[in-house]
């Protein structure tokens, strides 16, 4: 679900228009709410607000530049179907007390807070009519410590596809299927439990290695009120695999995500 209508998909969507819209810009604003597990592997769910804020600029010869709450990105078309993009983002880490509104989930009490880090990344995207296939990689720019040990720099790779289906002039559907691979640092950060953390929390010590961590999919139904305003609702799911599934942090391998909101494009 995370990939649908992110900076990346907005950037790729603008590229076919780069010759006819050169010098123009696009601003996307929106808001909504989501319902999802407190953390990957949790059996408890939380409501969270959603905020969309993305700005894209279509240059004459240098592709599309965009910036939003998830980071900044530059994308350029190599061919009519093949796109390359590079980006700067931020991995917010994870607090042991999770939540924004109301009472917070404290199931990770004793795990400590995982500090955030700037990230750099790149993506290759191949479009076939109403479908996109992509491969992306993101790496933290700093080494991090968590649970009393150095975990190093996290790296995650995502492989997947996105599809679009136009039902009629008002309704359309976006859907995605993908999998994520994490290096040892990434999987240890989000699924590992150090000796120090095991002594301070209810979780058993667990050393996570590199490997695929999940398979996830989702679908979003869009209602186009007019050419600028969209109402959307969606559902998604992930299924943890590999060391992520075996972690003592994991209460449920299958997690669900629901969301809805409104988006306006200027």
């Amino acid at each position: 679900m995370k990939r649908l209508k992110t900076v990346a998909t907005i950037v790729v969507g603008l590229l076919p228009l780069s010759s006819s819209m050169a010098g123009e810009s696009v601003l996307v604003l929106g808001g909504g709410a989501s319902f999802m597990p407190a953390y990957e592997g949790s059996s408890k769910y939380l409501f969270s607000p959603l905020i969309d804020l993305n700005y894209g600029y279509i240059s004459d010869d240098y592709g599309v530049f965009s910036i939003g709450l998830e980071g900044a990105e530059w994308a350029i078309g190599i061919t009519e179907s093949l796109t390359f993009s590079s980006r700067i983002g931020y991995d917010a880490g994870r607090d042991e007390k999770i939540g924004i509104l109301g009472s917070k989930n404290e199931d990770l009490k004793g795990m400590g807070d995982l500090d955030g880090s700037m990230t750099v990344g790149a993506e290759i995207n191949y479009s076939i009519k109403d479908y996109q296939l992509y491969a992306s990689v993101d790496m933290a720019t700093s080494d991090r410590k968590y649970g009393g040990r150095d975990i190093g720099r996290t790296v995650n790779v995502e492989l997947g596809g996105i599809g679009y289906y136009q039902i009629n002039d008002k309704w359309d559907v976006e859907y995605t299927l993908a999998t994520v691979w994490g290096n040892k640092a990434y999987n240890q950060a989000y699924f590992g439990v150090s000796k120090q953390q095991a002594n301070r929390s209810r979780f058993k010590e667990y050393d996570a290695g590199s490997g695929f961590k999940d398979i996830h999919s989702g679908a979003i139904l869009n209602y186009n009120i007019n050419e600028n305003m969209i109402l959307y609702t969606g559902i998604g799911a992930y299924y943890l695999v590999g060391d992520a599934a075996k972690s003592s942090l994991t209460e449920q391998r299958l997690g669900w995500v629901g969301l809805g909101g409104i988006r306006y494009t200027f």
Side-chain angles (χ1 to χ4, degrees):
M1 299 298 289
K2 183 179 178 181
R3 288 197 53 84
L4 297 182
K5 289 299 183 183
T6 61
V7 175
T9 55
I10 290 173
V11 167
V12 172
L14 291 175
L15 278 170
L17 307 175
S18 57
S19 59
S20 61
M21 295 179 62
E24 296 188 23
S25 59
V26 175
L27 176 64
V28 180
L29 298 175
S34 66
F35 184 65
M36 63 181 66
Y39 63 89
E40 282 189 289
S42 174
S43 61
K44 297 179 181 177
Y45 286 71
L46 294 174
F47 279 102
S48 298
L50 293 176
I51 300 175
D52 284 327
L53 177 57
N54 291 292
Y55 171 79
Y57 175 75
I58 307 167
S59 68
D60 290 315
D61 302 306
Y62 303 103
V64 177
F65 300 87
S66 67
I67 187 168
L69 296 179
E70 294 186 357
E73 189 159 5
W74 167 70
I76 190 166
I78 299 173
T79 67
E80 289 186 359
S81 300
L82 189 64
T83 301
F84 171 81
S85 64
S86 59
R87 57 176 174 255
I88 298 173
Y90 186 72
D91 176 356
R94 185 180 64 195
D95 294 339
E96 66 172 31
K97 295 182 179 180
I98 302 172
I100 297 177
L101 302 175
S103 61
K104 294 189 176 183
N105 179 283
E106 297 186 18
D107 286 355
L108 296 180
K109 184 177 181 180
M111 290 291 292
D113 296 338
L114 173 64
D115 293 336
S117 172
M118 295 290 293
T119 62
V120 293
E123 179 173 317
I124 289 288
N125 187 296
Y126 186 77
S127 298
I128 310 172
K129 294 185 179 181
D130 294 331
Y131 302 92
Q132 296 175 19
L133 300 175
Y134 66 87
S136 68
V137 58
D138 289 286
M139 180 182 71
T141 59
S142 59
D143 294 330
R144 283 183 279 183
K145 293 183 178 181
Y146 188 46
R149 60 187 284 188
D150 295 322
I151 60 172
R153 299 191 183 191
T154 58
V155 177
N156 64 284
V157 177
E158 184 166 341
L159 306 172
I162 303 173
Y164 305 90
Y165 179 71
Q166 188 80 34
I167 300 173
N168 54 41
D169 292 341
K170 291 291 186 179
W171 297 90
D172 63 82
V173 178
E174 308 166 55
Y175 47 94
T176 182
L177 176 64
T179 184
V180 176
W181 176 92
N183 70 344
K184 180 175 176 60
Y186 183 92
N187 287 342
Q188 181 64 30
Y190 290 100
F191 298 100
V193 181
S194 70
K195 183 175 181 179
Q196 181 188 91
Q197 291 170 323
N199 291 333
R200 296 178 177 179
S201 71
R202 63 188 180 90
F203 303 105
K204 295 180 180 180
E205 185 176 355
Y206 182 74
D207 191 34
S210 62
F212 286 95
K213 75 174 186 71
D214 74 40
I215 299 170
H216 60 271
S217 64
I220 289 184
L221 178 65
N222 297 305
Y223 175 69
N224 300 276
I225 299 174
N226 53 47
E227 62 180 8
N228 300 106
M229 187 177 294
I230 293 175
L231 286 174
Y232 65 89
T233 184
I235 187 172
Y238 66 76
Y239 188 74
L240 296 179
V241 298
D243 282 6
K246 302 172 186 176
S247 171
S248 57
L249 293 171
T250 299
E251 298 169 336
Q252 288 186 347
R253 297 177 66 177
L254 178 63
W256 296 92
V257 178
L259 56 83
I262 187 169
R263 184 181 298 113
Y264 192 90
T265 302
F266 295 88

